[in-house]
Amino acid sequence: MSNTGQRRKKRPSKKRRRAKVIIFSVEILVLLVVLAGLYVSLKLSKMDSGNKIEAKNLKQNDLTVETQETLEKYTTLALFGLDNRANGDFARGNSDVIIIASINEKTKEVKMASVYRDTYLNMTDSSGYRKANAAYANGGVDQAVSMLNVNLDLDITDYVVVDFNAVSEAVDLLGGVEIELTSEEAELINGYIDEVAEVTGKKSSRIYEPGLHNLDGVQATSYGRIRYTAGDDYKRTERQRLVIEKMVEKALSSDLATIDKLVDQVMGEVKTSLTNTEVLMLAKDAFSYSLGESAGFPFDKTTKDLGGKAGDCVIPLDLASNVEQLHRFLFETEDYEVTSSVKKISGEIVTNTGLSKADLP
């Protein structure tokens, strides 16, 4: 992984590329479930719902009363996409997609922050510090949600988990998504289209000119996989969020018949802590939601190969200041002061990695 993404890398193996198709698909579908699909009450019986995390298994920091009052003004969900090849097993797996979604109860604006899966964070157990996606693999959704709470000063109790590969079908059902391609993207996208078509079993065509294109499912998935440009994985995440935004816009303006088909595609592949009643409470305002800004976390970062179990990681510079920015972004909290727990974790990351804010470019 490169901080600048300027250096060309050896293309991953075919098996690894197939996994990345699934990873990107999961990210799209999680957002569709939360922002478009959950309102269809007739489909709720298909969803594995009401899987609450027991209080004894959920960790969080000692938040101030002021912070708790602020967070109560938002519905905050942890969204996980597992790379388990759609086998329906939500107990374990690397959460290759980790998204924090906040819904402003007053304005109905939805913001999302993607936590880079390789972010070096505290696992909240005896394994110490590893990549963020290892938390779900180690202790399932309980540990994954606790990891977010403890490292980021959150009080998340609800989650949505998916393990599914149907983004191409979803985009096609929506009639495609309009994306402006640069010359470089128009060239690189063709390196993925054939493989994505093979994996999904769908037909598509190559793109030969830059400009505005209405991408079909295969093309949109291929666009979200492009990584060999400046910005590398970080830029790829931006492309994925752009596709998400375009899909959500289409979904929220679609007719009920189209949404019904989308829900049929995803509801059977969802596990959530939300009960049917809670889903219906979100549902009543489904078409009042507006998709706000999105961002990647950490905001200030670098990369380093830490060897051992951690490997090549995204290092927050530093965690405390990044958490302050996260609260400002998701909850409009100015001058947020992190807890002593986050300060401690932030200091330990500096000690373990030898990297701090002084290493910002």
Side-chain angles (χ1 to χ4, degrees):
M1 186 179 299
S2 170
N3 216 19
T4 63
Q6 300 293 336
R7 184 174 68 252
R8 298 277 176 168
K9 299 183 178 180
K10 181 179 179 182
R11 290 185 180 274
S13 66
K14 187 171 183 180
K15 180 178 180 181
R16 185 177 180 83
R17 293 199 302 269
R18 285 174 181 266
K20 291 185 181 299
V21 175
I22 293 174
I23 291 167
F24 175 50
S25 302
V26 166
E27 183 169 15
I28 297 290
L29 289 166
V30 168
L31 265 294
L32 284 177
V33 168
V34 174
L35 302 179
L38 290 180
Y39 88 98
V40 187
S41 60
L42 292 177
K43 304 295 183 180
L44 292 178
S45 60
K46 291 186 175 183
M47 186 168 58
D48 186 6
S49 60
N51 297 280
K52 297 293 185 182
I53 300 176
E54 293 185 35
K56 65 179 181 179
N57 296 329
L58 188 62
K59 299 178 183 178
Q60 65 182 69
N61 298 332
D62 186 13
L63 304 175
T64 66
V65 173
E66 182 180 8
T67 297
Q68 292 177 43
E69 290 176 347
T70 297
L71 296 181
E72 286 174 359
K73 299 175 183 177
Y74 296 80
T75 296
T76 307
L77 301 172
L79 314 174
F80 301 102
L82 305 185
D83 183 20
N84 282 350
R85 305 306 177 93
N87 61 15
D89 181 9
F90 297 110
R92 291 289 191 277
N94 283 326
S95 52
D96 288 307
V97 174
I98 306 170
I99 298 175
I100 302 165
S102 70
I103 305 173
N104 187 310
E105 296 289 356
K106 182 178 180 179
T107 67
K108 303 305 177 184
E109 181 183 44
V110 181
K111 290 185 178 181
M112 57 182 176
S114 301
V115 179
Y116 298 117
R117 62 190 183 186
D118 292 339
T119 306
Y120 186 69
L121 294 174
N122 187 291
M123 293 293 101
T124 72
D125 66 2
S126 59
S127 64
Y129 289 80
R130 297 180 64 184
K131 295 179 180 180
N133 69 349
Y136 204 113
N138 289 350
V141 70
D142 295 13
Q143 186 172 340
V145 172
S146 294
M147 179 271 296
L148 293 176
N149 285 341
V150 170
N151 285 275
L152 307 180
D153 272 352
L154 299 174
D155 64 349
I156 299 172
T157 59
D158 288 312
Y159 63 87
V160 177
V161 185
V162 298
D163 179 11
F164 199 50
N165 181 26
V167 63
S168 294
E169 182 67 25
V171 171
D172 287 339
L173 284 170
L174 289 170
V177 290
E178 289 194 343
I179 301 289
E180 185 85 27
L181 299 182
T182 65
S183 296
E184 189 175 21
E185 288 169 341
E187 176 185 355
L188 292 172
I189 194 172
N190 294 315
Y192 298 95
I193 286 177
D194 290 344
E195 182 189 358
V196 173
E198 180 185 350
V199 171
T200 61
K202 299 177 71 67
K203 293 183 178 180
S204 186
S205 59
R206 293 194 167 200
I207 295 174
Y208 298 100
E209 298 291 338
L212 186 64
H213 293 269
N214 189 59
L215 303 183
D216 64 26
V218 170
Q219 293 166 341
T221 304
S222 300
Y223 172 77
R225 296 180 61 209
I226 297 171
R227 60 180 298 182
Y228 298 102
T229 62
D232 198 47
D233 275 345
Y234 305 136
K235 187 65 178 178
R236 183 177 65 137
T237 302
E238 288 180 18
R239 294 188 185 96
Q240 292 172 357
R241 288 199 297 269
L242 177 59
V243 175
I244 290 171
E245 291 168 9
K246 296 295 183 180
M247 290 184 71
V248 171
E249 288 173 5
K250 273 290 193 74
L252 293 179
S253 63
S254 296
D255 57 34
L256 290 178
T258 299
I259 297 299
D260 187 63
K261 292 178 182 178
L262 281 172
V263 173
D264 275 335
Q265 293 287 337
V266 301
M267 280 300 186
E269 303 293 334
V270 175
K271 175 180 179 179
T272 180
S273 62
L274 298 172
T275 64
N276 287 358
T277 299
E278 290 169 329
V279 170
L280 289 173
M281 289 178 66
L282 285 175
K284 66 182 178 65
D285 296 315
F287 287 101
S288 298
Y289 296 147
S290 62
L291 188 59
E293 294 180 273
S294 64
F297 182 91
F299 302 90
D300 300 324
K301 58 196 175 294
T302 188
T303 59
K304 184 176 182 178
D305 188 347
L306 301 176
K309 294 182 179 180
D312 195 12
C313 294
V314 175
I315 314 297
L317 299 175
D318 58 12
L319 181 65
S321 63
N322 274 285
V323 170
E324 291 170 0
Q325 293 180 69
L326 182 68
H327 279 252
R328 184 161 58 248
F329 173 73
L330 289 177
F331 311 115
E332 301 180 349
T333 304
E334 298 295 335
D335 302 319
Y336 179 74
E337 184 175 347
V338 301
T339 62
S340 58
S341 297
V342 168
K343 289 179 181 177
K344 180 181 179 182
I345 293 172
S346 185
E348 290 176 346
I349 290 176
V350 172
T351 299
N352 294 350
T353 64
L355 296 169
S356 67
K357 284 195 292 186
D359 295 290
L360 279 170

